[in-house]
mmCIF file of all heavy atoms in Angstrom:
data_model
loop_
_atom_site.group_PDB
_atom_site.id
_atom_site.type_symbol
_atom_site.label_atom_id
_atom_site.label_comp_id
_atom_site.label_asym_id
_atom_site.label_seq_id
_atom_site.Cartn_x
_atom_site.Cartn_y
_atom_site.Cartn_z
ATOM 1 N N THR A 191 0.848 -1.207 0.000
ATOM 2 C CA THR A 191 0.000 0.000 0.000
ATOM 3 C C THR A 191 0.878 1.249 0.000
ATOM 4 O O THR A 191 0.643 2.196 -0.762
ATOM 5 C CB THR A 191 -0.935 -0.003 1.232
ATOM 6 O OG1 THR A 191 -1.724 -1.190 1.216
ATOM 7 C CG2 THR A 191 -1.831 1.202 1.239
ATOM 8 N N ARG A 192 1.908 1.259 0.878
ATOM 9 C CA ARG A 192 2.820 2.394 0.933
ATOM 10 C C ARG A 192 3.535 2.574 -0.400
ATOM 11 O O ARG A 192 3.675 3.686 -0.907
ATOM 12 C CB ARG A 192 3.834 2.181 2.063
ATOM 13 C CG ARG A 192 4.325 3.490 2.643
ATOM 14 C CD ARG A 192 5.192 3.337 3.880
ATOM 15 N NE ARG A 192 4.611 2.487 4.904
ATOM 16 C CZ ARG A 192 5.223 1.416 5.409
ATOM 17 N NH1 ARG A 192 6.420 1.055 4.977
ATOM 18 N NH2 ARG A 192 4.658 0.692 6.328
ATOM 19 N N PHE A 193 3.971 1.464 -0.987
ATOM 20 C CA PHE A 193 4.650 1.514 -2.286
ATOM 21 C C PHE A 193 3.717 2.090 -3.344
ATOM 22 O O PHE A 193 4.094 2.970 -4.120
ATOM 23 C CB PHE A 193 5.120 0.113 -2.683
ATOM 24 C CG PHE A 193 5.652 0.039 -4.085
ATOM 25 C CD1 PHE A 193 6.904 0.544 -4.400
ATOM 26 C CD2 PHE A 193 4.888 -0.510 -5.120
ATOM 27 C CE1 PHE A 193 7.387 0.491 -5.696
ATOM 28 C CE2 PHE A 193 5.363 -0.556 -6.415
ATOM 29 C CZ PHE A 193 6.618 -0.065 -6.704
ATOM 30 N N LEU A 194 2.457 1.603 -3.338
ATOM 31 C CA LEU A 194 1.498 2.097 -4.333
ATOM 32 C C LEU A 194 1.152 3.573 -4.090
ATOM 33 O O LEU A 194 1.006 4.340 -5.040
ATOM 34 C CB LEU A 194 0.222 1.234 -4.328
ATOM 35 C CG LEU A 194 0.388 -0.172 -4.905
ATOM 36 C CD1 LEU A 194 -0.893 -0.973 -4.727
ATOM 37 C CD2 LEU A 194 0.775 -0.114 -6.364
ATOM 38 N N GLN A 195 1.051 3.963 -2.797
ATOM 39 C CA GLN A 195 0.790 5.374 -2.496
ATOM 40 C C GLN A 195 1.956 6.241 -2.943
ATOM 41 O O GLN A 195 1.759 7.318 -3.528
ATOM 42 C CB GLN A 195 0.518 5.564 -0.994
ATOM 43 C CG GLN A 195 -0.855 5.081 -0.573
ATOM 44 C CD GLN A 195 -1.063 5.181 0.937
ATOM 45 O OE1 GLN A 195 -0.100 5.307 1.697
ATOM 46 N NE2 GLN A 195 -2.324 5.114 1.347
ATOM 47 N N ASP A 196 3.174 5.771 -2.656
ATOM 48 C CA ASP A 196 4.359 6.518 -3.117
ATOM 49 C C ASP A 196 4.385 6.608 -4.631
ATOM 50 O O ASP A 196 4.660 7.666 -5.208
ATOM 51 C CB ASP A 196 5.647 5.849 -2.606
ATOM 52 C CG ASP A 196 5.850 6.047 -1.122
ATOM 53 O OD1 ASP A 196 5.159 6.916 -0.553
ATOM 54 O OD2 ASP A 196 6.693 5.323 -0.541
ATOM 55 N N LYS A 197 4.078 5.472 -5.269
ATOM 56 C CA LYS A 197 4.063 5.448 -6.734
ATOM 57 C C LYS A 197 2.979 6.389 -7.266
ATOM 58 O O LYS A 197 3.208 7.145 -8.216
ATOM 59 C CB LYS A 197 3.834 4.026 -7.234
ATOM 60 C CG LYS A 197 3.963 3.897 -8.734
ATOM 61 C CD LYS A 197 3.927 2.459 -9.187
ATOM 62 C CE LYS A 197 4.095 2.414 -10.692
ATOM 63 N NZ LYS A 197 4.150 1.095 -11.214
ATOM 64 N N LEU A 198 1.785 6.353 -6.621
ATOM 65 C CA LEU A 198 0.691 7.245 -7.018
ATOM 66 C C LEU A 198 1.101 8.702 -6.839
ATOM 67 O O LEU A 198 0.861 9.536 -7.715
ATOM 68 C CB LEU A 198 -0.570 6.922 -6.206
ATOM 69 C CG LEU A 198 -1.789 7.794 -6.495
ATOM 70 C CD1 LEU A 198 -2.256 7.584 -7.936
ATOM 71 C CD2 LEU A 198 -2.905 7.490 -5.512
ATOM 72 N N SER A 199 1.752 8.995 -5.699
ATOM 73 C CA SER A 199 2.212 10.360 -5.443
ATOM 74 C C SER A 199 3.222 10.793 -6.496
ATOM 75 O O SER A 199 3.143 11.904 -7.034
ATOM 76 C CB SER A 199 2.825 10.433 -4.045
ATOM 77 O OG SER A 199 3.350 11.705 -3.810
ATOM 78 N N ARG A 200 4.196 9.900 -6.815
ATOM 79 C CA ARG A 200 5.180 10.227 -7.858
ATOM 80 C C ARG A 200 4.500 10.418 -9.214
ATOM 81 O O ARG A 200 4.851 11.314 -9.971
ATOM 82 C CB ARG A 200 6.249 9.130 -7.930
ATOM 83 C CG ARG A 200 7.277 9.214 -6.832
ATOM 84 C CD ARG A 200 8.482 8.319 -7.109
ATOM 85 N NE ARG A 200 8.136 6.930 -7.386
ATOM 86 C CZ ARG A 200 8.005 5.978 -6.480
ATOM 87 N NH1 ARG A 200 8.198 6.250 -5.211
ATOM 88 N NH2 ARG A 200 7.693 4.751 -6.829
ATOM 89 N N GLU A 201 3.521 9.548 -9.499
ATOM 90 C CA GLU A 201 2.785 9.663 -10.767
ATOM 91 C C GLU A 201 2.013 10.984 -10.827
ATOM 92 O O GLU A 201 1.974 11.646 -11.863
ATOM 93 C CB GLU A 201 1.827 8.482 -10.949
ATOM 94 C CG GLU A 201 2.497 7.188 -11.341
ATOM 95 C CD GLU A 201 3.152 7.264 -12.705
ATOM 96 O OE1 GLU A 201 2.591 7.910 -13.618
ATOM 97 O OE2 GLU A 201 4.255 6.704 -12.857
ATOM 98 N N GLU A 202 1.399 11.359 -9.669
ATOM 99 C CA GLU A 202 0.669 12.634 -9.639
ATOM 100 C C GLU A 202 1.631 13.800 -9.852
ATOM 101 O O GLU A 202 1.338 14.723 -10.610
ATOM 102 C CB GLU A 202 -0.072 12.790 -8.310
ATOM 103 C CG GLU A 202 -1.319 11.935 -8.206
ATOM 104 C CD GLU A 202 -1.994 12.053 -6.831
ATOM 105 O OE1 GLU A 202 -1.370 12.622 -5.901
ATOM 106 O OE2 GLU A 202 -3.122 11.578 -6.702
ATOM 107 N N GLN A 203 2.792 13.737 -9.182
ATOM 108 C CA GLN A 203 3.783 14.799 -9.373
ATOM 109 C C GLN A 203 4.275 14.830 -10.814
ATOM 110 O O GLN A 203 4.401 15.892 -11.420
ATOM 111 C CB GLN A 203 4.963 14.605 -8.413
ATOM 112 C CG GLN A 203 4.635 14.935 -6.978
ATOM 113 C CD GLN A 203 5.799 14.656 -6.047
ATOM 114 O OE1 GLN A 203 6.818 14.075 -6.444
ATOM 115 N NE2 GLN A 203 5.652 15.067 -4.791
ATOM 116 N N SER A 204 4.535 13.624 -11.343
ATOM 117 C CA SER A 204 4.989 13.539 -12.730
ATOM 118 C C SER A 204 3.897 14.049 -13.666
ATOM 119 O O SER A 204 4.171 14.767 -14.641
ATOM 120 C CB SER A 204 5.343 12.089 -13.059
ATOM 121 O OG SER A 204 5.694 11.972 -14.411
ATOM 122 N N SER A 205 2.646 13.667 -13.355
ATOM 123 C CA SER A 205 1.517 14.112 -14.163
ATOM 124 C C SER A 205 1.376 15.634 -14.108
ATOM 125 O O SER A 205 1.168 16.296 -15.123
ATOM 126 C CB SER A 205 0.235 13.438 -13.673
ATOM 127 O OG SER A 205 -0.879 13.957 -14.351
ATOM 128 N N MET A 206 1.521 16.211 -12.886
ATOM 129 C CA MET A 206 1.442 17.675 -12.736
ATOM 130 C C MET A 206 2.569 18.355 -13.504
ATOM 131 O O MET A 206 2.368 19.356 -14.168
ATOM 132 C CB MET A 206 1.505 18.066 -11.250
ATOM 133 C CG MET A 206 0.270 17.683 -10.463
ATOM 134 S SD MET A 206 -1.208 18.515 -11.069
ATOM 135 C CE MET A 206 -0.935 20.139 -10.435
ATOM 136 N N CYS A 207 3.769 17.766 -13.404
ATOM 137 C CA CYS A 207 4.916 18.318 -14.132
ATOM 138 C C CYS A 207 4.669 18.236 -15.635
ATOM 139 O O CYS A 207 4.907 19.192 -16.372
ATOM 140 C CB CYS A 207 6.185 17.565 -13.741
ATOM 141 S SG CYS A 207 7.686 18.246 -14.481
ATOM 142 N N GLY A 208 4.170 17.081 -16.096
ATOM 143 C CA GLY A 208 3.867 16.904 -17.518
ATOM 144 C C GLY A 208 2.775 17.858 -17.965
ATOM 145 O O GLY A 208 2.857 18.469 -19.035
ATOM 146 N N LEU A 209 1.745 18.015 -17.108
ATOM 147 C CA LEU A 209 0.657 18.946 -17.428
ATOM 148 C C LEU A 209 1.189 20.369 -17.515
ATOM 149 O O LEU A 209 0.833 21.126 -18.428
ATOM 150 C CB LEU A 209 -0.443 18.849 -16.376
ATOM 151 C CG LEU A 209 -1.648 19.751 -16.574
ATOM 152 C CD1 LEU A 209 -2.363 19.414 -17.877
ATOM 153 C CD2 LEU A 209 -2.605 19.640 -15.390
ATOM 154 N N HIS A 210 2.079 20.717 -16.569
ATOM 155 C CA HIS A 210 2.685 22.049 -16.591
ATOM 156 C C HIS A 210 3.486 22.250 -17.883
ATOM 157 O O HIS A 210 3.396 23.301 -18.520
ATOM 158 C CB HIS A 210 3.590 22.228 -15.369
ATOM 159 C CG HIS A 210 4.261 23.557 -15.313
ATOM 160 N ND1 HIS A 210 3.578 24.723 -15.085
ATOM 161 C CD2 HIS A 210 5.567 23.901 -15.494
ATOM 162 C CE1 HIS A 210 4.430 25.739 -15.117
ATOM 163 N NE2 HIS A 210 5.642 25.261 -15.360
ATOM 164 N N LYS A 211 4.258 21.218 -18.278
ATOM 165 C CA LYS A 211 5.031 21.319 -19.526
ATOM 166 C C LYS A 211 4.108 21.452 -20.729
ATOM 167 O O LYS A 211 4.368 22.254 -21.635
ATOM 168 C CB LYS A 211 5.927 20.085 -19.696
ATOM 169 C CG LYS A 211 7.119 20.074 -18.775
ATOM 170 C CD LYS A 211 7.946 18.819 -18.981
ATOM 171 C CE LYS A 211 9.129 18.769 -18.027
ATOM 172 N NZ LYS A 211 9.906 17.543 -18.180
ATOM 173 N N VAL A 212 3.031 20.664 -20.728
ATOM 174 C CA VAL A 212 2.076 20.729 -21.846
ATOM 175 C C VAL A 212 1.424 22.113 -21.897
ATOM 176 O O VAL A 212 1.306 22.723 -22.962
ATOM 177 C CB VAL A 212 1.012 19.613 -21.717
ATOM 178 C CG1 VAL A 212 -0.156 19.860 -22.656
ATOM 179 C CG2 VAL A 212 1.630 18.255 -21.992
ATOM 180 N N LEU A 213 1.008 22.626 -20.716
ATOM 181 C CA LEU A 213 0.388 23.963 -20.680
ATOM 182 C C LEU A 213 1.373 25.036 -21.115
ATOM 183 O O LEU A 213 1.013 25.965 -21.842
ATOM 184 C CB LEU A 213 -0.127 24.263 -19.263
ATOM 185 C CG LEU A 213 -1.408 23.543 -18.853
ATOM 186 C CD1 LEU A 213 -1.745 23.831 -17.397
ATOM 187 C CD2 LEU A 213 -2.569 23.941 -19.751
ATOM 188 N N THR A 214 2.627 24.887 -20.681
ATOM 189 C CA THR A 214 3.649 25.862 -21.095
ATOM 190 C C THR A 214 3.847 25.816 -22.612
ATOM 191 O O THR A 214 3.895 26.870 -23.266
ATOM 192 C CB THR A 214 4.979 25.565 -20.373
ATOM 193 O OG1 THR A 214 4.758 25.607 -18.968
ATOM 194 C CG2 THR A 214 6.037 26.574 -20.747
ATOM 195 N N ALA A 215 3.923 24.616 -23.165
ATOM 196 C CA ALA A 215 4.079 24.482 -24.623
ATOM 197 C C ALA A 215 2.857 25.028 -25.347
ATOM 198 O O ALA A 215 2.982 25.708 -26.380
ATOM 199 C CB ALA A 215 4.305 23.010 -24.988
ATOM 200 N N TRP A 216 1.663 24.762 -24.807
ATOM 201 C CA TRP A 216 0.424 25.253 -25.416
ATOM 202 C C TRP A 216 0.378 26.783 -25.385
ATOM 203 O O TRP A 216 0.039 27.428 -26.369
ATOM 204 C CB TRP A 216 -0.780 24.655 -24.673
ATOM 205 C CG TRP A 216 -2.091 25.189 -25.136
ATOM 206 C CD1 TRP A 216 -2.937 25.990 -24.440
ATOM 207 C CD2 TRP A 216 -2.722 24.980 -26.405
ATOM 208 N NE1 TRP A 216 -4.046 26.290 -25.176
ATOM 209 C CE2 TRP A 216 -3.938 25.672 -26.399
ATOM 210 C CE3 TRP A 216 -2.361 24.276 -27.539
ATOM 211 C CZ2 TRP A 216 -4.801 25.678 -27.474
ATOM 212 C CZ3 TRP A 216 -3.229 24.287 -28.616
ATOM 213 C CH2 TRP A 216 -4.423 24.979 -28.576
ATOM 214 N N ARG A 217 0.750 27.349 -24.232
ATOM 215 C CA ARG A 217 0.762 28.816 -24.130
ATOM 216 C C ARG A 217 1.785 29.412 -25.086
ATOM 217 O O ARG A 217 1.535 30.452 -25.701
ATOM 218 C CB ARG A 217 1.062 29.229 -22.694
ATOM 219 C CG ARG A 217 -0.104 28.998 -21.766
ATOM 220 C CD ARG A 217 0.181 29.507 -20.375
ATOM 221 N NE ARG A 217 -0.903 29.155 -19.481
ATOM 222 C CZ ARG A 217 -0.745 28.659 -18.277
ATOM 223 N NH1 ARG A 217 0.465 28.469 -17.802
ATOM 224 N NH2 ARG A 217 -1.790 28.363 -17.529
ATOM 225 N N LEU A 218 2.930 28.755 -25.192
ATOM 226 C CA LEU A 218 3.963 29.232 -26.121
ATOM 227 C C LEU A 218 3.445 29.198 -27.560
ATOM 228 O O LEU A 218 3.627 30.165 -28.318
ATOM 229 C CB LEU A 218 5.226 28.380 -25.975
ATOM 230 C CG LEU A 218 6.427 28.808 -26.816
ATOM 231 C CD1 LEU A 218 6.893 30.189 -26.389
ATOM 232 C CD2 LEU A 218 7.546 27.810 -26.687
ATOM 233 N N ALA A 219 2.762 28.113 -27.907
ATOM 234 C CA ALA A 219 2.183 28.011 -29.264
ATOM 235 C C ALA A 219 1.126 29.085 -29.468
ATOM 236 O O ALA A 219 1.077 29.723 -30.530
ATOM 237 C CB ALA A 219 1.589 26.616 -29.472
ATOM 238 N N GLN A 220 0.293 29.289 -28.440
ATOM 239 C CA GLN A 220 -0.731 30.341 -28.564
ATOM 240 C C GLN A 220 -0.097 31.716 -28.689
ATOM 241 O O GLN A 220 -0.560 32.550 -29.461
ATOM 242 C CB GLN A 220 -1.669 30.312 -27.344
ATOM 243 C CG GLN A 220 -2.672 29.185 -27.378
ATOM 244 C CD GLN A 220 -3.622 29.246 -26.186
ATOM 245 O OE1 GLN A 220 -3.243 29.594 -25.081
ATOM 246 N NE2 GLN A 220 -4.868 28.900 -26.434
ATOM 247 N N ARG A 221 0.972 31.963 -27.905
ATOM 248 C CA ARG A 221 1.660 33.255 -27.992
ATOM 249 C C ARG A 221 2.251 33.471 -29.386
ATOM 250 O O ARG A 221 2.184 34.566 -29.931
ATOM 251 C CB ARG A 221 2.763 33.326 -26.943
ATOM 252 C CG ARG A 221 2.251 33.618 -25.564
ATOM 253 C CD ARG A 221 3.388 33.899 -24.589
ATOM 254 N NE ARG A 221 2.872 33.866 -23.241
ATOM 255 C CZ ARG A 221 3.296 33.046 -22.297
ATOM 256 N NH1 ARG A 221 4.274 32.203 -22.545
ATOM 257 N NH2 ARG A 221 2.772 33.076 -21.096
ATOM 258 N N LYS A 222 2.851 32.401 -29.926
ATOM 259 C CA LYS A 222 3.415 32.523 -31.285
ATOM 260 C C LYS A 222 2.326 32.861 -32.288
ATOM 261 O O LYS A 222 2.484 33.742 -33.134
ATOM 262 C CB LYS A 222 4.108 31.214 -31.689
ATOM 263 C CG LYS A 222 5.507 31.073 -31.206
ATOM 264 C CD LYS A 222 6.125 29.808 -31.781
ATOM 265 C CE LYS A 222 7.565 29.647 -31.340
ATOM 266 N NZ LYS A 222 8.159 28.411 -31.850
ATOM 267 N N THR A 223 1.198 32.144 -32.182
ATOM 268 C CA THR A 223 0.083 32.400 -33.101
ATOM 269 C C THR A 223 -0.424 33.822 -32.941
ATOM 270 O O THR A 223 -0.631 34.545 -33.922
ATOM 271 C CB THR A 223 -1.058 31.393 -32.832
ATOM 272 O OG1 THR A 223 -0.556 30.071 -32.964
ATOM 273 C CG2 THR A 223 -2.204 31.599 -33.797
ATOM 274 N N LYS A 224 -0.614 34.241 -31.677
ATOM 275 C CA LYS A 224 -1.104 35.600 -31.414
ATOM 276 C C LYS A 224 -0.095 36.631 -31.895
ATOM 277 O O LYS A 224 -0.470 37.671 -32.459
ATOM 278 C CB LYS A 224 -1.370 35.763 -29.913
ATOM 279 C CG LYS A 224 -2.136 36.995 -29.567
ATOM 280 C CD LYS A 224 -3.521 36.929 -30.133
ATOM 281 C CE LYS A 224 -4.363 38.084 -29.664
ATOM 282 N NZ LYS A 224 -5.668 38.098 -30.276
#
């Protein structure tokens, strides 16, 4: 359970980091278009 919680926490952090990167790339693309 602890391993899965740690893994879930790492996945959530990784997911948040990935989401942040995706949002940053999306904003950059939108800025270029604008």
Side-chain angles (χ1 to χ4, degrees):
T191 303
R192 209 173 310 124
F193 172 75
L194 289 175
Q195 285 176 343
D196 288 346
K197 187 172 181 177
L198 179 64
S199 176
R200 282 193 307 271
E201 284 295 323
E202 285 177 348
Q203 287 177 352
S204 176
S205 174
M206 290 298 285
C207 185
L209 180 62
H210 180 69
K211 286 179 182 178
V212 166
L213 285 175
T214 302
W216 175 249
R217 287 184 185 135
L218 184 63
Q220 284 183 323
R221 282 189 193 121
K222 276 186 179 178
T223 303
K224 192 65 173 176

